[in-house]
Amino acid sequence: MSGFAALVPQDREAAVDDSVAATVVVVDPAQRSRRASESPKRAVLPQAQRAAATFDRFSAYASAGVRTVGQNLAYAGERLAGRLDGGGALALADGHLADGARVNSFQENLQMAMASQRTGAGSGLGSGPGGAGVGGRVSDDPARGIVGLNRKDGWNDIQHREFDKKVTGLDEEAKAANARGESMKFQKPGDRYWSKERILNQYPEKAYDLLPDHLKSKELSDAWEALNKRSDLSEASLRRERRELVRETLKGYDLDHKVDLQLGGKDSLDNIQWLDMSVNRSVGSQLRWKVGNPESGKFARLSDNGEKPGTPIREFLAQPK
């Protein structure tokens, strides 16, 4: 009621009854202005202080090795933003755009960030560097050159076999590089020529040859042979029929680089394979989370100019099924 007198016109002040008039406090304009400016502060400051205190209490109860929910949101947002290309499209595991294929959702990236914190070096929740963590998960050990890769809940048997194929291939290549006196390292991906759409549109025969055994059913083989025997189709029509036949078979599969471009793999025909989409996105995303400051348990990336040598990778460790 302190500003009531200023709001009531002068010719109506006499009509204010005694009970109301008794509560009216007349103040000079300067004092009234100061009180008006302080009122929002009095209203907002206590709520802000209580919110800050609540957040502090929550943070205090959180495990020392686990980021708070708010920090994870911010962290995942920053890392997700780092995957945007110049046009605002999300890049995939190897740093390039897919051919209209689905990318990891924000929730998946957030879960990846939180899992990285739970099982990363120094988290206090694993069983030691390069070993099994909570729920059988494996963690990294950059000092020993060990990269841990984990499975995704809900995968079927084929997806688990695809995961094993991918990790085994990476592990064999890392060990082969070490035997040659070289080292696999994280690095900026180079330009990409080969894509799912390119190989399907221009080289459907090669796309067919690359199919994993579990996709080469007798029905598909018979259909492929039947196409090859048709003399009524032009070369262009035959290519189109082959492309659509293989495209239908490859629903849910990505064209993957056996050794990812972000690991120095080449964009060549001898380094590509068809890989289950979920497995490809999961492994590629996990690899991206591992790059960072070595002091925080991350792998250093090899710089373009060679000034920063990067962390050597000697082994890939797969989570047991």
PDB file of all heavy atoms in Angstrom, residues 37 47 49 52 64-65 69 117 130 139 167 187 194 218 223 235 251 260 274 309 314:
ATOM      1  N   SER A  37      12.081   0.168  -7.359  1.00  0.00           N
ATOM      2  CA  SER A  37      13.170  -0.562  -8.019  1.00  0.00           C
ATOM      3  C   SER A  37      13.672  -1.717  -7.166  1.00  0.00           C
ATOM      4  O   SER A  37      14.190  -2.700  -7.683  1.00  0.00           O
ATOM      5  CB  SER A  37      14.325   0.399  -8.331  1.00  0.00           C
ATOM      6  OG  SER A  37      14.886   0.903  -7.129  1.00  0.00           O
ATOM      7  N   GLN A  47      14.096 -16.419  -3.895  1.00  0.00           N
ATOM      8  CA  GLN A  47      13.864 -17.610  -4.702  1.00  0.00           C
ATOM      9  C   GLN A  47      15.142 -18.075  -5.374  1.00  0.00           C
ATOM     10  O   GLN A  47      15.432 -19.267  -5.431  1.00  0.00           O
ATOM     11  CB  GLN A  47      12.789 -17.348  -5.771  1.00  0.00           C
ATOM     12  CG  GLN A  47      11.362 -17.316  -5.232  1.00  0.00           C
ATOM     13  CD  GLN A  47      11.007 -15.970  -4.604  1.00  0.00           C
ATOM     14  OE1 GLN A  47      11.888 -15.131  -4.422  1.00  0.00           O
ATOM     15  NE2 GLN A  47       9.742 -15.763  -4.283  1.00  0.00           N
ATOM     16  N   GLN A  49      18.185 -17.518  -4.331  1.00  0.00           N
ATOM     17  CA  GLN A  49      19.074 -18.056  -3.313  1.00  0.00           C
ATOM     18  C   GLN A  49      18.670 -19.470  -2.906  1.00  0.00           C
ATOM     19  O   GLN A  49      19.510 -20.340  -2.713  1.00  0.00           O
ATOM     20  CB  GLN A  49      19.087 -17.126  -2.098  1.00  0.00           C
ATOM     21  CG  GLN A  49      19.771 -15.779  -2.375  1.00  0.00           C
ATOM     22  CD  GLN A  49      19.632 -14.813  -1.223  1.00  0.00           C
ATOM     23  OE1 GLN A  49      18.648 -14.875  -0.486  1.00  0.00           O
ATOM     24  NE2 GLN A  49      20.595 -13.915  -1.081  1.00  0.00           N
ATOM     25  N   ALA A  52      19.631 -21.846  -5.697  1.00  0.00           N
ATOM     26  CA  ALA A  52      21.075 -22.086  -5.693  1.00  0.00           C
ATOM     27  C   ALA A  52      21.465 -23.023  -4.565  1.00  0.00           C
ATOM     28  O   ALA A  52      22.290 -23.925  -4.724  1.00  0.00           O
ATOM     29  CB  ALA A  52      21.835 -20.767  -5.582  1.00  0.00           C
ATOM     30  N   ALA A  64      31.537 -37.913  -6.438  1.00  0.00           N
ATOM     31  CA  ALA A  64      32.598 -37.015  -6.885  1.00  0.00           C
ATOM     32  C   ALA A  64      33.004 -37.295  -8.313  1.00  0.00           C
ATOM     33  O   ALA A  64      33.482 -36.407  -9.013  1.00  0.00           O
ATOM     34  CB  ALA A  64      33.815 -37.162  -5.965  1.00  0.00           C
ATOM     35  N   GLY A  65      32.821 -38.523  -8.779  1.00  0.00           N
ATOM     36  CA  GLY A  65      33.260 -38.852 -10.133  1.00  0.00           C
ATOM     37  C   GLY A  65      32.173 -38.723 -11.169  1.00  0.00           C
ATOM     38  O   GLY A  65      32.383 -39.043 -12.319  1.00  0.00           O
ATOM     39  N   VAL A  69      23.332 -33.659 -13.178  1.00  0.00           N
ATOM     40  CA  VAL A  69      22.463 -33.675 -14.346  1.00  0.00           C
ATOM     41  C   VAL A  69      22.625 -32.400 -15.164  1.00  0.00           C
ATOM     42  O   VAL A  69      22.729 -32.424 -16.386  1.00  0.00           O
ATOM     43  CB  VAL A  69      20.995 -33.852 -13.914  1.00  0.00           C
ATOM     44  CG1 VAL A  69      20.073 -33.700 -15.116  1.00  0.00           C
ATOM     45  CG2 VAL A  69      20.793 -35.213 -13.271  1.00  0.00           C
ATOM     46  N   GLN A 117      31.503 -40.610 -18.338  1.00  0.00           N
ATOM     47  CA  GLN A 117      31.938 -40.147 -17.026  1.00  0.00           C
ATOM     48  C   GLN A 117      31.981 -41.289 -16.024  1.00  0.00           C
ATOM     49  O   GLN A 117      32.856 -41.376 -15.187  1.00  0.00           O
ATOM     50  CB  GLN A 117      30.990 -39.059 -16.509  1.00  0.00           C
ATOM     51  CG  GLN A 117      31.267 -37.698 -17.115  1.00  0.00           C
ATOM     52  CD  GLN A 117      32.685 -37.275 -16.857  1.00  0.00           C
ATOM     53  OE1 GLN A 117      33.489 -37.197 -17.760  1.00  0.00           O
ATOM     54  NE2 GLN A 117      33.010 -36.992 -15.616  1.00  0.00           N
ATOM     55  N   GLY A 130      41.320 -49.432 -18.192  1.00  0.00           N
ATOM     56  CA  GLY A 130      41.323 -50.483 -19.186  1.00  0.00           C
ATOM     57  C   GLY A 130      40.654 -51.755 -18.730  1.00  0.00           C
ATOM     58  O   GLY A 130      40.856 -52.808 -19.319  1.00  0.00           O
ATOM     59  N   SER A 139      36.382 -49.651 -19.708  1.00  0.00           N
ATOM     60  CA  SER A 139      36.815 -48.257 -19.706  1.00  0.00           C
ATOM     61  C   SER A 139      38.123 -48.112 -20.471  1.00  0.00           C
ATOM     62  O   SER A 139      38.775 -49.090 -20.837  1.00  0.00           O
ATOM     63  CB  SER A 139      36.982 -47.754 -18.270  1.00  0.00           C
ATOM     64  OG  SER A 139      37.888 -48.572 -17.552  1.00  0.00           O
ATOM     65  N   VAL A 167      34.757 -54.299 -33.603  1.00  0.00           N
ATOM     66  CA  VAL A 167      35.816 -54.096 -32.608  1.00  0.00           C
ATOM     67  C   VAL A 167      37.010 -54.986 -32.909  1.00  0.00           C
ATOM     68  O   VAL A 167      38.167 -54.559 -32.772  1.00  0.00           O
ATOM     69  CB  VAL A 167      35.288 -54.341 -31.183  1.00  0.00           C
ATOM     70  CG1 VAL A 167      36.395 -54.120 -30.159  1.00  0.00           C
ATOM     71  CG2 VAL A 167      34.108 -53.421 -30.887  1.00  0.00           C
ATOM     72  N   GLN A 187      42.449 -38.582 -35.240  1.00  0.00           N
ATOM     73  CA  GLN A 187      42.827 -37.444 -36.053  1.00  0.00           C
ATOM     74  C   GLN A 187      41.610 -36.885 -36.767  1.00  0.00           C
ATOM     75  O   GLN A 187      40.542 -37.504 -36.770  1.00  0.00           O
ATOM     76  CB  GLN A 187      43.905 -37.829 -37.063  1.00  0.00           C
ATOM     77  CG  GLN A 187      43.556 -39.025 -37.943  1.00  0.00           C
ATOM     78  CD  GLN A 187      44.754 -39.507 -38.724  1.00  0.00           C
ATOM     79  OE1 GLN A 187      45.038 -39.026 -39.812  1.00  0.00           O
ATOM     80  NE2 GLN A 187      45.481 -40.469 -38.144  1.00  0.00           N
ATOM     81  N   TRP A 194      33.216 -42.191 -50.684  1.00  0.00           N
ATOM     82  CA  TRP A 194      32.300 -43.313 -50.675  1.00  0.00           C
ATOM     83  C   TRP A 194      31.178 -43.106 -49.666  1.00  0.00           C
ATOM     84  O   TRP A 194      31.399 -42.731 -48.530  1.00  0.00           O
ATOM     85  CB  TRP A 194      33.043 -44.609 -50.347  1.00  0.00           C
ATOM     86  CG  TRP A 194      33.968 -45.032 -51.441  1.00  0.00           C
ATOM     87  CD1 TRP A 194      35.329 -44.952 -51.440  1.00  0.00           C
ATOM     88  CD2 TRP A 194      33.593 -45.565 -52.710  1.00  0.00           C
ATOM     89  NE1 TRP A 194      35.831 -45.408 -52.629  1.00  0.00           N
ATOM     90  CE2 TRP A 194      34.789 -45.796 -53.435  1.00  0.00           C
ATOM     91  CE3 TRP A 194      32.373 -45.875 -53.307  1.00  0.00           C
ATOM     92  CZ2 TRP A 194      34.800 -46.317 -54.718  1.00  0.00           C
ATOM     93  CZ3 TRP A 194      32.381 -46.395 -54.587  1.00  0.00           C
ATOM     94  CH2 TRP A 194      33.566 -46.614 -55.281  1.00  0.00           C
ATOM     95  N   LYS A 218      19.260 -67.229 -49.641  1.00  0.00           N
ATOM     96  CA  LYS A 218      19.060 -67.955 -50.909  1.00  0.00           C
ATOM     97  C   LYS A 218      18.068 -67.210 -51.791  1.00  0.00           C
ATOM     98  O   LYS A 218      18.225 -67.147 -53.014  1.00  0.00           O
ATOM     99  CB  LYS A 218      18.550 -69.367 -50.629  1.00  0.00           C
ATOM    100  CG  LYS A 218      18.429 -70.233 -51.884  1.00  0.00           C
ATOM    101  CD  LYS A 218      17.970 -71.629 -51.545  1.00  0.00           C
ATOM    102  CE  LYS A 218      17.979 -72.527 -52.789  1.00  0.00           C
ATOM    103  NZ  LYS A 218      17.150 -71.967 -53.898  1.00  0.00           N
ATOM    104  N   ALA A 223      17.212 -64.199 -56.712  1.00  0.00           N
ATOM    105  CA  ALA A 223      16.699 -62.996 -57.374  1.00  0.00           C
ATOM    106  C   ALA A 223      17.815 -62.290 -58.143  1.00  0.00           C
ATOM    107  O   ALA A 223      17.591 -61.765 -59.246  1.00  0.00           O
ATOM    108  CB  ALA A 223      16.083 -62.056 -56.341  1.00  0.00           C
ATOM    109  N   GLU A 235      21.244 -51.880 -70.053  1.00  0.00           N
ATOM    110  CA  GLU A 235      22.258 -51.808 -69.009  1.00  0.00           C
ATOM    111  C   GLU A 235      21.822 -50.886 -67.875  1.00  0.00           C
ATOM    112  O   GLU A 235      22.020 -51.201 -66.696  1.00  0.00           O
ATOM    113  CB  GLU A 235      23.575 -51.314 -69.603  1.00  0.00           C
ATOM    114  CG  GLU A 235      24.721 -51.290 -68.608  1.00  0.00           C
ATOM    115  CD  GLU A 235      26.031 -50.883 -69.237  1.00  0.00           C
ATOM    116  OE1 GLU A 235      26.109 -50.884 -70.482  1.00  0.00           O
ATOM    117  OE2 GLU A 235      26.978 -50.560 -68.483  1.00  0.00           O
ATOM    118  N   LYS A 251      18.298 -52.193 -45.671  1.00  0.00           N
ATOM    119  CA  LYS A 251      17.570 -51.337 -44.740  1.00  0.00           C
ATOM    120  C   LYS A 251      18.098 -51.587 -43.327  1.00  0.00           C
ATOM    121  O   LYS A 251      18.182 -52.728 -42.874  1.00  0.00           O
ATOM    122  CB  LYS A 251      16.073 -51.628 -44.799  1.00  0.00           C
ATOM    123  CG  LYS A 251      15.385 -51.041 -46.024  1.00  0.00           C
ATOM    124  CD  LYS A 251      13.877 -51.254 -45.966  1.00  0.00           C
ATOM    125  CE  LYS A 251      13.195 -50.566 -47.141  1.00  0.00           C
ATOM    126  NZ  LYS A 251      11.719 -50.774 -47.116  1.00  0.00           N
ATOM    127  N   ASP A 260      37.861 -46.389 -38.910  1.00  0.00           N
ATOM    128  CA  ASP A 260      37.161 -45.120 -39.060  1.00  0.00           C
ATOM    129  C   ASP A 260      38.091 -44.013 -39.557  1.00  0.00           C
ATOM    130  O   ASP A 260      39.289 -43.983 -39.230  1.00  0.00           O
ATOM    131  CB  ASP A 260      36.547 -44.705 -37.722  1.00  0.00           C
ATOM    132  CG  ASP A 260      35.524 -45.708 -37.234  1.00  0.00           C
ATOM    133  OD1 ASP A 260      35.933 -46.852 -36.933  1.00  0.00           O
ATOM    134  OD2 ASP A 260      34.342 -45.369 -37.161  1.00  0.00           O
ATOM    135  N   TRP A 274      29.541 -53.158 -44.948  1.00  0.00           N
ATOM    136  CA  TRP A 274      28.198 -52.881 -44.459  1.00  0.00           C
ATOM    137  C   TRP A 274      28.160 -53.256 -42.984  1.00  0.00           C
ATOM    138  O   TRP A 274      28.635 -54.325 -42.588  1.00  0.00           O
ATOM    139  CB  TRP A 274      27.152 -53.674 -45.234  1.00  0.00           C
ATOM    140  CG  TRP A 274      27.078 -53.326 -46.688  1.00  0.00           C
ATOM    141  CD1 TRP A 274      27.356 -54.120 -47.752  1.00  0.00           C
ATOM    142  CD2 TRP A 274      26.672 -52.062 -47.234  1.00  0.00           C
ATOM    143  NE1 TRP A 274      27.179 -53.452 -48.927  1.00  0.00           N
ATOM    144  CE2 TRP A 274      26.753 -52.176 -48.645  1.00  0.00           C
ATOM    145  CE3 TRP A 274      26.282 -50.848 -46.688  1.00  0.00           C
ATOM    146  CZ2 TRP A 274      26.442 -51.133 -49.508  1.00  0.00           C
ATOM    147  CZ3 TRP A 274      25.965 -49.798 -47.539  1.00  0.00           C
ATOM    148  CH2 TRP A 274      26.048 -49.942 -48.927  1.00  0.00           C
ATOM    149  N   PRO A 309      51.410 -34.781 -31.254  1.00  0.00           N
ATOM    150  CA  PRO A 309      51.548 -36.138 -31.798  1.00  0.00           C
ATOM    151  C   PRO A 309      50.326 -37.026 -31.628  1.00  0.00           C
ATOM    152  O   PRO A 309      50.146 -37.985 -32.367  1.00  0.00           O
ATOM    153  CB  PRO A 309      52.746 -36.700 -31.024  1.00  0.00           C
ATOM    154  CG  PRO A 309      52.746 -35.937 -29.732  1.00  0.00           C
ATOM    155  CD  PRO A 309      52.278 -34.551 -30.074  1.00  0.00           C
ATOM    156  N   ARG A 314      46.935 -48.861 -28.953  1.00  0.00           N
ATOM    157  CA  ARG A 314      47.564 -50.170 -29.104  1.00  0.00           C
ATOM    158  C   ARG A 314      46.558 -51.325 -29.056  1.00  0.00           C
ATOM    159  O   ARG A 314      46.855 -52.425 -29.494  1.00  0.00           O
ATOM    160  CB  ARG A 314      48.626 -50.371 -28.013  1.00  0.00           C
ATOM    161  CG  ARG A 314      49.775 -49.373 -28.102  1.00  0.00           C
ATOM    162  CD  ARG A 314      50.837 -49.612 -27.039  1.00  0.00           C
ATOM    163  NE  ARG A 314      51.989 -48.739 -27.247  1.00  0.00           N
ATOM    164  CZ  ARG A 314      52.082 -47.491 -26.812  1.00  0.00           C
ATOM    165  NH1 ARG A 314      51.065 -46.966 -26.138  1.00  0.00           N
ATOM    166  NH2 ARG A 314      53.158 -46.769 -27.048  1.00  0.00           N
TER     167      ARG A 314
END
